Amino acid sequence: MDEPYVLDLQEVDETQIAVVGGKGAHLGALSRIEGIRVPGGFCVTTGAFRRIVTQEPSIEDLLDQLSRSDPDDRDAIRTLSARVRGIIEGIALPDDLAAAITGALARHGEQAAYAVRSSATAEDLPTASFAGQQDTYLNIMGPTAILQHVSRCWASLFTERAVTYRRRNGIDHRTVHMAVVVQRMVLPDAAGILFTADPVTGNRKVATVDAGFGLGEALVSGLVNPDVFMVRDGEVVARTIAAKQRAVHALPAGGTQERAVDSRRQELPALTDAQAVQLVHLGRRIEAHFDRPQDIEWCLADDGFQIVQSRPITTLFPVPATDDEEHHVYVSVGHQQMMTDPMKPLGLSVWKMTAMAPMTEAGGRLWVDATRALTTPTSRAGLLDLVGRGDPLTRDALETVLERDFVPLLPDPEPSGPPAGGKPAPIETDPAIVTRLIERSGASIADLRRDIATKSGPALFDFLPAAFTEHKRVLGDPLSIQVIMAGMEATWWLNDKLHEWLGEKNAADTLTLSAPDNVTSEMGLALLDVADVIRPHPEVVAFLRNVEDDGFLDDLAKLAGGTEARDAIETYLDRYGMRCAGEIDITRPRWRERPSTLVPAILDNVKNFGPGAAERRFEEGRKEAEKKEQDVLTRLRALPGGESKAEETKRMIDRVRTFIGYREYPKYDIVSRLFVYKQALLEEAGRLVRAGVLREQEDAFYLTFQELEEVTRSNRVDDRLVQQRREAFRSYDALALPRVLTSDGETLNGAYRRDDVPDGALIGLPVSGGTVEGRARVILDMAQADLEAGDILVTAYTDPSWSPLFVGIAGLVTEVGGLMTHGAVIAREYGLPAVVGVDRATLLIRDGQRIRVHGTDGYIEILS
């Protein structure tokens, strides 16, 4: 049976997006919900659109050109899209198609006024709303005008903004088709938009109603400020009544007109409180049907509400699923791990299986449910103190939630006796402890590599849970945790006491310079040694400047000095090739898999440093720390009780220098193991590709560990699930990750409550002392780095993979970070003034601007 060209709204539902587009499908579904009134009408299907565009062969060629165009080349897109629109609008509708549309008009009232609305197949989707990308025409009258505006809607699939939106979202123009909704006009007294969740805070319990007089176009176009009603639990909890000076009304002969609102009515509310509550009640019914918060366009006519559109709100951060109705408070793992990007399902599931704390996921990110820790005074104080030392913004966000009594405070439980085993004995300040821990870790990883090499298929998945158990055993080694805590506690003690006794801020920053056993700072210095091997060979340097793919190591040996260069890079990769940006996600490409990532940093080192820079830099840091130690101890001895203060301080300096470098080692251990797991899982994915089960290896990344195990055992995969996961991952990338998320959906990022910084300064957390002025280099991808000596790196976050860049910069600014996160530790290790946790730093600071970083006081001044 041939596909129909026209379907009544009552005949369609949300399963028919491919036939009637997103808007048409939602309207059809809305018309079936009990108690929801939707103006009558019909859809001109995508089959009609395809028939029209295939009539003109030149459209195919223009779509090819649009697909190849640069999304930022506005002139080319404007020209090409205008040509496509002109062709489509110029095609005469075949008689049978025109008859189908005019026949539907006759059934609904030929002389009535209609809204003619675009309804694309990539529109009003759960992961992308595409709001405003195609056109709507209001108050259209008569068959001739209706047919003309149907053609205009088809053509509006190729407006400049729609084409650019699709290109930037990776959507092929040929996969998107256009249906058209032709719907009876409502001539409203008031109209507007209802969000069934607060679009600003994300709170799912608060609905927001925007309302104005006349047609809703006045609000959508920004012609007037709306009245705003906030509704929670069946009552208006806040309202703002705007002066509505203009309104858009339908004209009797067709079309619309903007008119002035009578001065006596301008400040009257467009809705009563009771009407706002009634509207939200309808919205909740719609939300329940679609099972997600909705952005709803409504009209009020003859004292009744009619719904003219409903689409998902795609900008809300998803809420972790729970099996209860209790309040929950979630803390972002990404802000602690310096990985705020979304993770793929395999990465999420492997991290959860190897993490030391239970985690949940939402929006492609990991969360820790902090609710239980916030319910008693002692555990609440402990959590806030721990979080505050790492990231004051997370602490402030948690305190904001707690001020609202969102989490009840219960009495501390009665002690049931001393803890089993008692408190562990304090460890001696002995470097051999660190050496022993590193050797034990190395031996465990060597065992893992040996044992996993013989495993494949189901046997691999039988083996990995035991490997994950060993992973957690090493990570949770009590001695390892004691060493980490000893280093951090000594740092805090030195900063607190030397500030109290000498007025010194962040004295530990200098005292920890060039501390031993720091595998992350060693990684940056080791790349300076690689540059020393390459620098004497001009042919190699010139070759590296033009590297475009990851096979370049094989070609190096053909050049003078190339064998030595290749061997130096290979040796570096043997030690550090498991690292990469966002390395907690097992699916991210490692340096060993993508060695070209390192080339810009190597070339910067060749350009900006001389031979022997690594050893010289380490020795300079060690001497500066030694000099600082002598200065501090001398000044302390001059104080009352100074000999005792100096003695205690010396013990703490020795302790911090012995233990603080190890702080970086557990992460190195984790990432080393992740790469071993990844290599084995990728080999298994390759087998599944060869067997025709998976289309490509990376499909495995969009399955959880458990799902991939099932695929391996059954040799069957759900391709639709893989595709859905790909689309969801792409949508998560557009969501900003909050520091704290509640079960109501509210997102919180905290604020710095300080008044001790200059006007206009950007506030952050001071993590490495000193002041430096220089050129800001805003870099979001390490592979794009191009640094000069004295530059200040400005980026979203740094994990250990960024440390090779730290040797060549003068200061650091990040949007995410805390006192003991990796970027802060390495900044202190290298003596770089650093301020982290600077909200929107990469947007507020432009690449190339001159800035001053106050690493001791925690703010940045923009100088030019």
Side-chain angles (χ1 to χ4, degrees), residues 40-77:
F42 59 90
C43 298
V44 182
T45 66
T46 54
F49 169 80
R50 284 193 297 274
R51 178 175 173 188
I52 290 297
V53 296
T54 53
Q55 279 186 225
E56 181 48 68
S58 63
I59 291 178
E60 187 70 18
D61 179 56
L62 290 169
L63 293 185
D64 275 338
Q65 294 179 55
L66 276 173
S67 297
R68 293 193 301 268
S69 63
D70 183 336
D72 295 319
D73 187 348
R74 297 185 62 179
D75 288 339
I77 289 175

Side-chain angles (χ1 to χ4, degrees), residues 408-520:
L409 189 60
L410 306 173
D412 281 320
E414 291 293 326
S416 56
K423 191 175 180 181
I427 56 172
E428 294 298 314
T429 302
D430 181 1
I433 296 173
V434 173
T435 303
R436 190 160 67 250
L437 284 169
I438 291 173
E439 286 173 350
R440 276 167 27 186
S441 165
S444 175
I445 293 170
D447 289 346
L448 171 65
R449 287 197 181 100
R450 182 196 65 227
D451 294 343
I452 207 169
T454 61
K455 307 295 189 294
S456 64
L460 173 65
F461 289 90
D462 291 337
F463 167 78
L464 280 170
F468 295 164
T469 299
E470 168 66 3
H471 178 129
K472 290 199 277 190
R473 186 195 68 76
V474 172
L475 199 57
D477 183 334
L479 183 61
S480 175
I481 293 168
Q482 268 191 287
V483 167
I484 293 168
M485 291 308 300
M488 293 200 295
E489 286 165 358
T491 301
W492 298 334
W493 189 95
L494 287 167
N495 281 337
D496 291 346
K497 291 298 184 183
L498 295 180
H499 186 253
E500 178 188 339
W501 292 336
L502 298 176
E504 286 257 359
K505 285 185 178 179
N506 304 325
D509 294 356
T510 307
L511 293 167
T512 53
L513 289 172
S514 297
D517 298 313
N518 188 319
V519 69
T520 306

